[in-house]
Amino acid sequence: ILAAGSHLGTLSCEVSMRPYVWKTRKDGVHIIDFFKTWEKIVFASRILAAIENPSDIVVVSSRLFGQRASLKFQSYVGAQAIVGRFTPGTFTNYITKTFKEPRVILVTDPRADHQAIHEASYSNIPVIALCNTDNNLKCVDVAIPCNNAAKNSVGLIMWMLAREVLRIKGSIMRDQPWSVMVDMFFYRDPDEAEKEAADAAAQLAEKQALAAPERLVETSQLLDMDVGAAANWDGADWATAPADTGIVAEGWGAAPAQQTPVEPAGGAAADWGGAQGWDA
């Protein structure tokens, strides 16, 4: 919480937010008591975990810093998210296509999401809000004191809410760390993401350029070896090559060796009956 700056308030402080202020710095910035922040996170998580159907939870965020965190909360908890401009009548006018009847709503900034809070009050829908020291708590049922103007602070609080809800439901173990990194809930500027991708591509191209000469040297060495081997084969004198021994050395025109007939056993030629003739 301290690293993300969630304890840093504003120069002004509403009367309803006084109980959550620890002290005021010399420059006038109000410091939020992060122990009370954690207590409200646990309290809000119990409320959200008590909702049987997670889709009855609606997360509203019209500010850029809370939109990514709201979408991540939706994906991990199973809630619905309304990011960007809030359509008037979403909670009160059943004729609209975006009409919803949630059991509880979660907003990232009461000032920016005042339309959703007012409509929820008309429909008796409980409101959980991330509130800074200068926010008015009118129509807010559960206020989580934190710095809702910093992207890291909003992402951290929403990550802690999602983790605590899953722990209460038993989806993840309390004695084991959550596998989802808190950076996933932080807002990222599209231009900054494109710049990082361009830098990564430039570094990859530079590495490939440095490795290219080495590959060229290896290729040239292989080509030299192939050329030398071809020259050796082409310069060979086949006429002076020694002839192989064996039948091939005798040549195809040599006369075949005469074979001596084998005399049958008994010392006399075998009588096959031909001498007697066929008339016998």
Side-chain angles (χ1 to χ4, degrees):
I1 293 178
L2 296 177
S6 300
H7 64 294
L8 299 177
T10 59
L11 296 175
S12 60
C13 182
E14 289 286 337
V15 177
S16 55
M17 289 295 295
R18 281 286 178 184
Y20 304 108
V21 175
W22 178 52
K23 71 174 184 178
T24 305
R25 295 192 315 194
K26 293 181 180 181
D27 56 357
V29 177
H30 295 82
I31 306 300
I32 299 173
D33 189 354
F34 58 83
F35 288 105
K36 295 183 179 180
T37 300
W38 172 247
E39 291 177 359
K40 283 305 186 74
I41 289 175
V42 175
F43 181 55
S45 301
R46 291 178 178 177
I47 296 174
L48 297 175
I51 305 299
E52 184 177 359
N53 187 7
S55 61
D56 291 336
I57 303 172
V58 175
V59 186
V60 182
S61 178
S62 59
R63 300 187 62 179
L64 289 175
F65 290 168
Q67 292 181 7
R68 181 180 174 88
S70 301
L71 294 174
K72 291 297 181 180
F73 186 90
Q74 171 193 8
S75 62
Y76 290 110
V77 178
Q80 301 183 60
I82 302 176
V83 296
R85 181 180 180 273
F86 180 81
T87 304
T90 301
F91 298 150
T92 55
N93 189 0
Y94 64 91
I95 300 178
T96 59
K97 296 181 179 179
T98 59
F99 177 71
K100 293 180 176 58
E101 291 181 307
R103 295 186 60 183
V104 62
I105 67 171
L106 173 64
V107 299
T108 58
D109 190 354
R111 183 180 290 108
D113 303 323
H114 65 280
Q115 180 68 27
I117 294 177
H118 288 319
E119 292 190 9
S121 65
Y122 297 154
S123 304
N124 294 327
I125 300 173
V127 177
I128 302 173
L130 275 62
C131 301
N132 209 333
T133 56
D134 60 345
N135 290 134
N136 191 355
L137 299 185
K138 182 180 180 181
C139 300
V140 175
D141 298 286
V142 178
I144 301 176
C146 65
N147 182 8
N148 58 7
K151 61 179 181 179
N152 293 345
S153 175
V154 175
L156 175 65
I157 299 300
M158 295 296 289
W159 179 80
M160 295 176 72
L161 272 172
R163 184 187 64 174
E164 192 64 24
V165 169
L166 295 178
R167 283 179 174 179
I168 293 174
K169 288 185 175 182
S171 300
I172 58 177
M173 301 300 296
R174 187 171 293 274
D175 56 349
Q176 296 180 359
W178 194 18
S179 59
V180 179
M181 300 297 294
V182 67
D183 300 348
M184 299 294 295
F185 284 71
F186 290 167
Y187 169 77
R188 295 188 62 187
D189 189 4
D191 297 336
E192 183 180 354
E194 292 179 0
K195 184 178 179 181
E196 291 179 358
D199 294 341
Q203 292 179 1
L204 180 60
E206 184 178 358
K207 291 181 180 179
Q208 292 178 352
L210 293 175
E214 298 179 358
R215 291 199 298 268
L216 290 175
V217 171
E218 294 178 357
T219 306
S220 62
Q221 292 177 355
L222 292 175
L223 290 175
D224 294 340
M225 294 174 61
D226 294 340
V227 171
N232 294 333
W233 283 105
D234 294 338
D237 189 1
W238 298 97
T240 59
D244 294 337
T245 59
I247 301 176
V248 180
E250 297 177 356
W252 294 100
Q258 295 182 0
Q259 299 180 358
T260 304
V262 180
E263 184 179 356
D271 188 4
W272 296 97
Q276 299 177 2
W278 294 99
D279 296 335

